[in-house]
Structure formats: C-alpha cells, structure tokens
Amino acid sequence: MFAWSLELAWLIVLLPFAAFALIGLFLHRWPRLSAYLSILAIGLSFGLSVLVAAHVFLGGMQETFEVSMRWLAMPGLNVDMGLLIDGLTAVMLIVVTSVALLVQIYSWGYMHGDPGFSSYYAYQSVFAGAMLGLVLANNFGQLFVFWELVGLASYLLIGFWFGRHSAKNAAVKAFITNRVGDFGLLLGILFLQIIFGTLNFSGLAAEVAGYTNTAILIVVSILLLAGPIGKSAQFPLHVWLPDAMEGPTPVSALIHAATMVAAGVYLIARAFFIFSATPEVMMLIAVIGGFTALFAATIALVQNDIKRILAYSTLSQLGYMVMAMGIGAMTAGMFHLMTHAFFKSLLFLAAGSVIHAIAGEQDIWKMGRLKDKMPITTWTFVIGALALAGIPPLSGFWSKDEILLGAFAGGYTGLYLLGTLVAFMTAFYMFRLIFVVFFGSGKGVEKAHESPPVMTIPLIILAVMAVIAGFVGSPLMDYAFARFVTYPGAVHYEASTMVIAISSLVAIAGIGLAWAIYQKEWINHLQMRERFSGIYTLLYNKYYIDELYHWLGQRFVYGTAKALFWFDIYVVNGLVNGLAALTGGAGKVLRYTETGQVQTYAAYMLAGVIVIVGLVVLAGFALLI
C-alpha cells in the first residue's frame, strides 16, 4: 500500500542526525529554533515510521524488505550497510519515534529556561538517530556502531547537568558498566564473523540453522548476551540504571524507560535464531530475567525517591521481558516491550510534572495532597500505574498475562509463580507511591500547580495509549501479537481464564494492601519498618550490591592498578633509566677521547698498532708452544 515509504526508510535515521548536526554547527545560539528543528525531525521520522508499519502490516503481515550495500571489503572481511524492515522493525520504529516525539514536546516545558536548552535537543536528536539506526540495521556490525552511539548519547544526557557531582558520577557509572557488557557483545560478533563469514542477520540465520557444534554456539550466545545484560540493566550489570535518574526526567522517560534499555531485549529478539538454538542459554536467559524481575521489585518496595521507584520498576519489567525471551515467548516479550514503553514513559513524565511543580523535590514523604492541585498529572499517573499493575483491560494486563501464560503453558511453573509474585509487588509499590504522593496528608506542597499544556498534553496522549495499546495483541484477536512479531516455529497459546483471574486478583490484592497501609493506615508502616528493620535496611540499601562493587574495585581494580603502577615506576622505568644512565656515563667517559688535536689521535693510532702487534706476537708464541 505504501511501498514507496520503504525506499525512503533511510530518512527515518538521517533526519534526527541532520537535526543534531545543524543544531551543533549553526543553531546553538537560538534555543527555540533548535527545539523546533529537533521536534520537526523526529516528527517526520514518526510519520515515515507509521507509513512503513502500515505497509508491512497491511501488506500481508509478513512482508520483509531488505537493502544492502558493501561498505568495506578486504581479504577475509566484508562489511555491509543496509536496512532490514519486517514486523519486528516496524513495531520498534513506532515505539521509538512516538515516545521520542512526545518526550521532546514535553521537554519544551520541562527544560524551559535551562542554559543548555539547545545542547539538550541536540543530544535528544543524536540519541533518536542512533536508536533508529540500531533498529533498522540488517547486520551485527552496523548494529554495534549504533549500539555504541546510543551509549554515548545516554552518557551525554545522564550527565547533562554536569555541574552536579552526582550527575557526573552517574554518567561515568553508566558508561563503564555498559562497556563491560559491550565488550562481550563485540567478542561475540567477532566470533560470528570468524565462524560463519558474515554478520548479516538473514545470512547468519541460514548458517546457524545448519550448524551442529553446540558448544561453540553456547559460547557465542553467552558473549552476545552480555550486551543485552548491560544495556537492559539485568543482574549483575543493573547498577547503572537507578543512578541514571540524575539526568533530566524526560531523559529518564525516553532512554531509561522506553527505548535505550529496551535495546537489549530487541537484540535478543533480533538474534533469537541464535539463542533459541541452544536450550542451555535459553534457560540462562530465563533465569537471569526472572531473578532480575524479583530482585528489583523487592528493592522498589521501600524506596523513597519517586524516580528511583520507577527506575527499579523498569528493571523489574525488563526482567519480565528477558524472562519471556528465555522461555521461548519472544512474541510476548516484544508485546510487553511495546506496552511498557507507553505506560512507563507516561509514569516518568508524570513524575517529572510533579517534580517540576514542587521545585525539584523527589522524596515522596515530602509530597502529598497533589490530586486537587494537579488533577491531570494525578489521573494520568494513576492510569499508568494501573496499566503497570496489570489491571484489565489496560495495556499492561494483556502483555503481562501473555508472559505469565507462556510460562504456565510452557511448563515453567517456578517462573510462573515468580512472575505472579512480582505482579503483586508491582501493584503494591506503585500504589504505595500514589497514596503517599497524590492522596496522602503530606505538607509542603502548597505552591504546587498543574503543569502547562505543553507537558500535560503528552501525558494525556500516553495515558490513552496505556489504555488501548494492549488491544492490538489481546487474545481476542487472531494470533494476538504474533500477527505483528513472530518467528519460525512460534507457538501461540490459547488464553487461560485461570491465569487471567489469578493475575488480576493478585494485582488487586497488591493495590488493596497498599490502600490499607498508606491510605487508611490500618497498619502502621513505621512500626512494620521497625519490626522488620533488618530486611528493610537490606532492601533500602539495594542488597549492598553497589558497596560490594566499590569494595571489589578498591581491592582488585585499584589494587591491581597500584601494583602495576609500582612495577612501571620501579621496574620498567628503572630498567629504562638504568640503561639511559649507563649510556650517558659511557658517553661522559668517551668524550675525553675526542680532543680535536691531530697529535692526540696519532698517539691513539700508535697505541692501537702496539696493542695489535703485541696480540700477534703473543699468538705466535702460543702456537710455537
């Protein structure tokens, strides 16, 4: 229907990069014009993405478009650049461009008056371009280039307020942590090139299908998995995401809730033909995802910073998605990625509206009674929380239950029970936040006010998406979300009334418990904190994982660095300096032989002749004897 849009798909990536270049080179002194250009660029990319998706899904639902050209050729190595557009790509294009567009519009109000306004929009543009390039890449090499650009943009945006010591540290922490995962990803990509001679996804799919060395595939798969573990903040590389909340709140909504952190899940889906070839790695993926979901949810139960609660919620939901990939429910995982992008970006932007209205305060216990002063923010936040909790018929209900159904029907009983427990915790900690911030009796928010329309309109649009987005993949539709994102051999499970009923009741129970404790105060939460002070302290301090990493860094990283420094100074430099001193000393001695007087050189020659004659005579006597 819109076949011509496929030929222009490269503009989806180019337009944000062009906006970044123009802002950086020419428009930095005109903040409003910089913002207009950035928003226009991502708006046009969104329009083209809609046309591309319409053609892919309305043109038979299974159409794949690929174009490729040789970028680098040398003996043993051919590097291509190209575009791959299929159902998976189309879904990600819609998610990235729609959320990025709404976040950039919202940012106009949130970042108004900031001295770095133009730079902020330049960084937003380069991030959008990098993320879209990652999604459209048709090979691992090109994907890795944009993968690293996404990391760079994240570093710039997390540390945007670099005058804050905490923001600088958070940016460095995110950058270094992701380098650990990216190193493994790069090694995996190099192994793929060495073993199969290509990095093209379609070419690799054909090669892997006939490959029989399971041990090699396991090693390559684990190396590739390191990238998603870092980028999607899975345990044990999860520590960067909560600290990344030091960036502006719209950055949290775009990068750390909807798009960048979802890149790891997307990579698992794009390379699913590799991971699914090794059941051992699939189980590893499922366990890592399930553990992260539970681990992060327990921490979120006791956090007091509104953005950190949402950050640990993001970690938990990403764990849900990764777990879905591991149990083979790739379609369900991508479905939850899509719905989560809408309601979690809504929650972050609504939290930003609160922070903006009360002069930067983020402690929930210093808030309260905001429902009357900020009605739009309040009720859009409630809608997002209901979707996150999985209350029917909101979007999170459909996608979360699809994952739970996959675990239950696939025989992963333990993971199903874990996912159900996480659903209860999610409902509890989100409505703990709501009852304290919006319906609580807190003081100190007398000057709070509703945000301007440039901020509330994106909230309303995202709230609408949080309500309706799940219907496109509900069991009421044939093949559910598999109509859009599927893979060879995919299994579509029929809806289970039992799974739906249990998950809904569990979510309602979580909301009810939060209501009883924080709204009606039938249970004193301060007394509970005192009674279970050990558990509370452990959870509040995030299981001391950061402290453990700091200790390991001090003992091993810094200790090794100090040992190498001593070796460099006293051994390497000692040897080099010793040789230099020896050479210099010899030169000082030999310089006395260079007088510039002919008679002195003649004397040296005579002495040399005498020595040679003496040696010859001695040799003759030795022969006679």
Side-chain angles (χ1 to χ4, degrees):
M1 181 179 294
F2 300 103
W4 54 270
S5 65
L6 302 180
E7 303 293 337
L8 299 177
W10 56 274
L11 287 173
I12 297 174
V13 180
L14 182 62
L15 287 168
F17 277 125
F20 162 73
L22 291 173
I23 294 170
L25 294 174
F26 306 111
L27 303 179
H28 204 269
R29 296 182 180 179
W30 294 278
R32 293 173 65 90
L33 187 56
S34 298
Y36 283 139
L37 181 61
S38 181
I39 293 171
L40 176 62
I42 194 63
L44 291 174
S45 293
F46 171 68
L48 274 173
S49 298
V50 170
L51 295 176
V52 167
H55 179 72
V56 171
F57 296 136
L58 298 179
M61 303 295 183
Q62 299 295 328
E63 182 165 341
T64 298
F65 173 81
E66 182 173 5
V67 59
S68 186
M69 61 181 293
R70 186 57 45 84
W71 178 62
L72 175 65
M74 62 177 63
L77 177 64
N78 294 317
V79 181
D80 294 336
M81 294 187 68
L83 303 176
L84 174 63
I85 299 175
D86 56 9
L88 179 59
T89 305
V91 167
M92 289 297 296
L93 288 177
I94 294 295
V95 169
V96 174
T97 55
S98 61
V99 174
L101 176 60
L102 292 172
V103 166
Q104 289 199 24
I105 294 172
Y106 174 97
S107 297
W108 183 285
Y110 190 90
M111 300 297 292
H112 179 72
D114 192 287
F117 195 77
S118 294
S119 296
Y120 173 83
Y121 272 97
Y123 298 160
Q124 284 274 8
S125 292
V126 76
F127 169 78
M131 189 66 199
L132 292 168
L134 185 156
V135 169
L136 282 164
N138 73 332
N139 64 84
F140 271 109
Q142 184 179 336
L143 180 144
F144 187 77
V145 171
F146 287 111
W147 183 276
E148 293 303 304
L149 280 175
V150 166
L152 172 62
S154 175
Y155 170 80
L156 294 172
L157 287 165
I158 293 170
F160 181 75
W161 287 324
F162 52 83
R164 301 178 182 176
H165 189 65
S166 57
K168 290 187 292 186
N169 286 342
V172 171
K173 186 176 185 179
F175 193 82
I176 293 175
T177 305
N178 275 276
R179 296 293 72 73
V180 175
D182 293 354
F183 178 67
L185 174 61
L186 179 59
L187 288 178
I189 291 173
L190 293 175
F191 270 114
L192 289 175
Q193 174 64 39
I194 293 169
I195 296 168
F196 301 110
T198 181
L199 296 177
N200 181 272
F201 293 131
S202 56
L204 281 171
E207 293 287 341
V208 170
Y211 195 69
T212 57
N213 194 330
T214 305
I216 294 295
L217 276 182
I218 289 175
V219 172
V220 173
S221 298
I222 291 175
L223 289 172
L224 292 176
L225 181 62
I229 288 176
K231 196 73 78 182
S232 288
Q234 297 297 286
F235 182 86
L237 299 181
H238 66 283
V239 292
W240 68 270
L241 184 60
D243 287 359
M245 300 301 110
E246 291 293 336
T249 302
V251 172
S252 302
L254 176 65
I255 296 181
H256 308 122
T259 52
M260 174 189 165
V261 292
V265 179
Y266 167 77
L267 176 58
I268 297 176
R270 178 55 73 194
F272 196 73
F273 60 89
I274 298 176
F275 295 111
S276 59
T278 53
E280 297 85 355
V281 175
M282 291 290 283
M283 182 53 65
L284 175 64
I285 294 172
V287 170
I288 290 174
F291 178 79
T292 303
L294 180 62
F295 173 83
T298 58
I299 296 175
L301 293 172
V302 300
Q303 297 302 305
N304 299 325
D305 185 305
I306 187 171
K307 286 176 66 177
R308 282 186 177 268
I309 295 171
L310 296 179
Y312 280 105
S313 171
T314 299
L315 284 175
S316 183
Q317 297 304 305
L318 288 168
Y320 254 125
M321 300 173 206
V322 172
M323 183 182 78
M325 297 292 174
I327 63 176
M330 187 267 274
T331 299
M334 288 305 301
F335 185 23
H336 198 54
L337 184 154
M338 183 198 75
T339 60
H340 177 266
F342 294 122
F343 58 70
K344 185 54 67 65
S345 57
L346 165 63
L347 290 168
F348 267 109
L349 293 183
S353 179
V354 170
I355 295 167
H356 182 267
I358 55 178
E361 183 58 63
Q362 295 183 199
D363 189 338
I364 63 173
W365 299 108
K366 296 180 180 179
M367 305 176 190
R369 298 183 290 111
L370 292 180
K371 66 179 178 65
D372 297 325
K373 298 184 178 183
M374 306 182 68
I376 297 177
T377 299
T378 298
W379 295 112
T380 53
F381 194 100
V382 170
I383 290 172
L386 289 170
L388 175 58
I391 299 298
L394 280 73
S395 59
F397 162 74
W398 303 110
S399 57
K400 179 202 67 178
D401 275 35
E402 193 76 17
I403 295 175
L404 294 178
L405 175 62
F408 180 78
Y412 300 93
T413 306
L415 292 174
Y416 166 73
L417 294 174
L418 182 149
T420 303
L421 176 60
V422 171
F424 171 80
M425 292 181 175
T426 302
F428 175 81
Y429 65 66
M430 285 307 303
F431 278 83
R432 166 182 177 263
L433 186 160
I434 286 173
F435 290 131
V436 171
V437 172
F438 298 103
F439 298 90
S441 57
K443 298 179 180 180
V445 294
E446 288 75 11
K447 296 183 180 180
H449 55 85
E450 187 59 271
S451 298
V454 73
M455 295 172 66
T456 55
I457 290 175
L459 295 182
I460 294 170
I461 295 173
L462 286 169
V464 172
M465 294 303 297
V467 173
I468 67 173
F471 286 101
V472 300
S474 75
L476 304 176
M477 311 294 287
D478 291 339
Y479 299 106
F481 201 67
R483 295 178 304 136
F484 304 102
V485 176
T486 188
Y487 57 97
V491 178
H492 172 66
Y493 297 109
E494 295 296 327
S496 169
T497 304
M498 185 191 74
V499 170
I500 292 173
I502 291 175
S503 66
S504 299
L505 290 173
V506 161
I508 293 171
I511 296 172
L513 182 60
W515 176 77
I517 297 175
Y518 298 101
Q519 183 66 27
K520 302 303 291 184
E521 298 183 352
W522 292 340
I523 304 173
N524 190 309
H525 69 91
L526 295 177
Q527 292 179 357
M528 290 179 60
R529 182 188 303 181
E530 289 296 326
R531 185 174 180 180
F532 301 101
S533 59
I535 297 175
Y536 175 85
T537 302
L538 181 65
L539 297 181
Y540 184 77
N541 290 284
K542 302 159 286 185
Y543 295 94
Y544 296 99
I545 299 295
D546 287 275
E547 288 77 6
L548 174 61
Y549 284 171
H550 180 72
W551 182 84
L552 290 173
Q554 291 289 341
R555 293 295 182 273
F556 293 98
V557 179
Y558 297 142
T560 303
K562 288 179 181 178
L564 292 175
F565 176 79
W566 181 90
F567 183 81
D568 180 56
I569 295 298
Y570 295 103
V571 178
V572 177
N573 284 3
L575 179 61
V576 173
N577 293 339
L579 290 174
L582 179 62
T583 304
K588 288 179 181 179
V589 173
L590 291 174
R591 72 181 179 179
Y592 292 109
T593 65
E594 303 296 328
T595 64
Q597 298 178 354
V598 175
Q599 59 269 32
T600 301
Y601 299 145
Y604 292 158
M605 293 174 63
L606 177 60
V609 169
I610 293 172
V611 170
I612 293 172
V613 170
L615 291 174
V616 171
V617 171
L618 289 173
F621 276 119
L623 291 173
L624 291 174
I625 294 172

